[in-house]
Amino acid sequence: MQRQGLHLNKICLSAALAGLCFSSLAFSATVPAGTQLAATQNLVRGNGAEPASLDPDKVEDNSSMAIVNDLFEGLVRVDNNGKVIPALADSWQTSDHKTWTFHIRPGATWSDGSPITAQDFVYSWRRLSDPKTASPYASFTANAHILNAQAVIDGKMPTDKLGVSAPDAATVKVVLDQPVSYFLQFVAHPSLFAISEKDVEKYGDSWTQPGHMVSSSAYQLSDWVVNEKITLKRNPKYWDNAHTVINQVTYLPISDSSAELNRYLSGEITITSTIPAIEFARMKKEKPDQVYVAPQLSVFYFDINSTRAPFNDPKVRQALNLALNKDIISEKVVGMGRTAAWTIAPLSMGGVTVTPPDWAHWTQTQRIAKARQLLKQAGYSDAHPLSFSLLYNNNNDNQRVAIAAASMWKSALGVKASLLNQEWKSMLDTMHQGQFQLVRYTWGADYNEYSTFLNTFRSGDSNNTGGFSNKEYDNEISAAQSAQTPAETAAHYQKAMDIAANETPAIPIFYDAQDYMVKTDVGGFAPSALGFYQTKDLYLKK
């Protein structure tokens, strides 16, 4: 999952993997006994940027997914403790972890009262995989090992060959090409939420507009004023509406984190999407009970377009990586507990721990000496200096990191990095068109397993905007996912990480976290390690 700010997409499957899951559970807001609720239950959330889309099959960034998570629901959900629990499916079974059967809960309806059917899920998953949709998450069904997914994505098979079917209106059957222990985490992801086939057929591309969209979760789209606000109101047709407390939530798209903070301090916003780095210490001192720092499986890095010179040469990519003093960037430029990163994924995920490359333990002097050697071998010198552009989306903290990096490259290597910035949605388009050299990027985990990071550099993956391709790397990921023991899985992921460290498809800068300002009258706030919280879990105290 892409994140538009400096900080704005594991989890144990528990008993579900035994083959059969529990019946109906209520999992929305849990209000402690004796709590006095505010008379008005309206929430305002800072959202960081205008969402690129509200179509679950087309979203790719956290500003869009945050809203989609309030509007739609999947067959299952991962709660804030990392447990897979029922959502639109009230039970499921598997005997071999290859064939899964989900049962849609009785009475589940869209916000217009029409029934949610298994066919809606079949339609949505096929639409996600269809190359005509051009979804940035198209590869998700293949990464989940759904039968024939890659052939469908590549246009070699029709969408009806995808391994998902509806034996009846209340049953979704999914067939995988191999067992996947963490498959339920894929099912919980927004890209595998259902959308109404009838709704899309009726309205076409405008189905996501207010008055057209039907939703399946606790809220429905009420108003959307581009670059101003998105308002959702409570969905009385939601199956767990009785446990929902917040009646209305408004999202404000504010790309300037300082402006968002000011609107929070003025009382206009209930929860911010982040805290500006330059204001973090002051907020901790002045409003310590309103600062919330959540651990997150996320890495801030500069993605590299490996398909074009000079960055098709790994020596150039590695030289730029080594020349950056990441301790200074993480501790001084950003701060807030960030730590320097030398790997493209966190050091520990899903029960696996990896070892960073040797140069993670070198002195910065040693790294710069090696960087100069590599750049010289690549044909660059004082007489022939390297120059390129670094793109970032509009955000004060992103700009500060970019300026620091450009200064370090200039000082250590004589390299000239021109800084470019674009509005978030424009930058996404630029990335997908491959019209960049280096671009500021943050990837947050979609699930708690290393493939959620490593797949984004896999040859042909729909999220691989830098175009990196290495067969040995691809093979190690495939081997990890088909390994028979945890030790074998860890060994293959370590090899893949070693290849990525040497080939440098991206320059990791720091392991990220998520910071918020949260009003003290908010109850139930507990973001997950994936960087999300849902409005239906919240309530406002008197």
Side-chain angles (χ1 to χ4, degrees):
M1 168 192 64
Q2 297 179 33
R3 292 166 51 193
Q4 80 271 10
L6 179 58
H7 358 279
L8 212 132
N9 221 287
K10 156 193 227 101
I11 298 154
C12 173
L13 298 189
S14 66
L17 285 183
L20 139 77
C21 191
F22 8 86
S23 59
S24 251
L25 291 176
F27 53 81
S28 292
T30 302
V31 182
T35 300
Q36 289 188 305
L37 295 175
T40 301
Q41 292 289 326
N42 294 345
L43 194 75
V44 180
R45 294 174 55 163
N47 204 43
E50 177 70 18
S53 174
L54 293 182
D55 183 336
D57 288 340
K58 297 183 178 181
V59 297
E60 60 179 314
D61 60 298
N62 63 323
S63 63
S64 302
M65 287 186 184
I67 304 173
V68 166
N69 268 318
D70 273 351
L71 290 168
F72 297 94
E73 193 162 71
L75 291 165
V76 301
R77 177 187 175 194
V78 178
D79 70 12
N80 292 337
N81 296 315
K83 183 179 180 182
V84 177
I85 59 176
L88 288 179
D90 64 358
S91 63
W92 57 87
Q93 298 87 33
T94 183
S95 60
D96 58 2
H97 299 148
K98 285 183 63 177
T99 300
W100 294 77
T101 304
F102 298 87
H103 304 282
I104 295 178
R105 63 177 62 252
T109 69
W110 296 103
S111 54
D112 65 355
S114 61
I116 295 173
T117 69
Q119 179 57 34
D120 287 320
F121 280 94
V122 173
Y123 167 77
S124 302
W125 292 18
R126 288 175 177 175
R127 181 173 179 263
L128 175 71
S129 307
D130 191 337
K132 294 177 183 177
T133 304
S135 171
Y137 264 86
S139 293
F140 209 64
T141 52
N143 295 338
H145 289 279
I146 297 176
L147 187 66
N148 298 328
Q150 193 59 58
V152 171
I153 293 165
D154 293 340
K156 296 177 180 178
M157 281 188 178
T159 58
D160 61 7
K161 296 297 183 181
L162 186 70
V164 57
S165 59
D168 57 58
T171 306
V172 179
K173 181 180 179 181
V174 186
V175 180
L176 310 183
D177 58 31
Q178 69 175 55
V180 178
S181 63
Y182 49 96
F183 175 65
L184 290 177
Q185 295 186 56
F186 280 99
V187 179
H189 190 266
S191 64
L192 293 184
F193 289 175
I195 57 177
S196 168
E197 181 176 8
K198 292 180 180 178
D199 199 37
V200 178
E201 286 182 346
K202 181 177 181 180
Y203 293 110
D205 290 341
S206 69
W207 79 269
T208 57
Q209 296 302 307
H212 293 180
M213 176 189 286
V214 296
S215 54
S216 59
S217 193
Y219 299 92
Q220 54 190 321
L221 183 61
S222 174
D223 190 24
W224 187 353
V225 182
V226 175
N227 290 321
E228 184 178 328
K229 66 177 181 178
I230 292 178
T231 303
L232 313 184
K233 63 180 181 181
R234 191 160 160 178
N235 171 19
K237 303 291 186 181
Y238 178 51
W239 68 269
D240 201 25
N241 179 55
H243 293 93
T244 304
V245 177
I246 301 295
N247 292 317
Q248 177 178 292
V249 54
T250 300
Y251 288 84
L252 301 183
I254 309 170
S255 60
D256 185 335
S257 56
S258 295
E260 183 182 81
L261 177 62
N262 288 336
R263 293 175 73 171
Y264 171 88
L265 295 174
S266 72
E268 184 179 352
I269 293 175
T270 317
I271 306 172
T272 68
S273 65
T274 186
I275 304 173
I278 59 175
E279 297 286 2
F280 185 79
R282 181 170 73 93
M283 290 298 101
K284 284 281 287 183
K285 181 180 180 180
E286 296 180 2
K287 300 182 181 296
D289 56 343
Q290 297 178 43
V291 173
Y292 193 104
V293 180
Q296 191 170 4
L297 298 170
S298 181
V299 181
F300 182 109
Y301 56 80
F302 296 146
D303 198 14
I304 303 174
N305 189 338
S306 302
T307 66
R308 297 182 180 183
F311 296 110
N312 55 351
D313 185 344
K315 295 186 184 69
V316 175
R317 304 195 297 260
Q318 184 66 293
L320 295 182
N321 179 40
L322 292 171
L324 291 183
N325 191 324
K326 299 174 186 180
D327 290 318
I328 288 180
I329 294 176
S330 60
E331 296 172 13
K332 304 298 183 183
V333 177
V334 178
M336 301 186 290
R338 282 13 176 214
T339 56
W342 292 98
T343 56
I344 58 173
L347 294 175
S348 183
M349 286 187 70
V352 173
T353 298
V354 297
T355 301
D358 290 343
W359 49 84
H361 308 294
W362 292 359
T363 66
Q364 191 58 29
T365 300
Q366 290 174 307
R367 295 185 193 121
I368 290 175
K370 181 64 174 178
R372 289 173 177 169
Q373 178 187 350
L374 289 169
L375 210 54
K376 183 178 180 180
Q377 291 173 358
Y380 294 95
S381 63
D382 291 341
H384 179 53
L386 172 67
S387 62
F388 61 91
S389 62
L390 170 61
L391 175 65
Y392 63 93
N393 58 294
N394 295 330
N395 177 284
N396 291 340
D397 291 337
N398 293 338
Q399 182 183 46
R400 295 172 69 238
V401 172
I403 290 173
S407 175
M408 291 174 183
W409 284 325
K410 179 68 174 176
S411 174
L413 303 177
V415 165
K416 181 181 179 181
S418 301
L419 304 184
L420 307 174
N421 65 84
Q422 291 180 343
E423 180 264 342
W424 174 240
K425 290 195 291 185
S426 297
M427 194 184 86
L428 289 180
D429 290 340
T430 299
M431 291 171 62
H432 286 298
Q433 294 164 9
Q435 301 299 314
F436 69 93
Q437 291 183 294
L438 267 70
V439 60
R440 182 222 72 86
Y441 207 71
T442 302
W443 188 261
D446 291 314
Y447 49 92
N448 189 23
E449 209 271 348
Y450 267 109
S451 61
T452 188
F453 282 90
L454 302 186
N455 281 337
T456 62
F457 299 104
R458 200 172 188 172
S459 301
D461 191 276
S462 58
N463 278 307
N464 185 359
T465 52
F468 176 72
S469 182
N470 181 290
K471 278 195 171 182
E472 186 182 357
Y473 175 85
D474 297 343
N475 291 339
E476 292 297 343
I477 297 174
S478 295
Q481 294 175 3
S482 59
Q484 298 301 306
T485 67
E488 290 175 1
T489 298
H492 287 298
Y493 278 144
Q494 181 67 64
K495 290 178 181 177
M497 294 281 274
D498 291 343
I499 293 168
N502 285 291
E503 292 291 313
T504 322
I507 300 173
I509 307 298
F510 54 82
Y511 303 115
D512 210 355
Q514 181 67 59
D515 314 288
Y516 308 89
M517 295 294 293
V518 184
K519 296 295 186 183
T520 55
D521 60 346
V522 176
F525 185 75
S528 72
L530 303 185
F532 288 118
Y533 64 94
Q534 291 178 276
T535 302
K536 65 184 177 184
D537 296 334
L538 307 180
Y539 55 92
L540 295 176
K541 295 172 286 186
K542 188 174 181 180

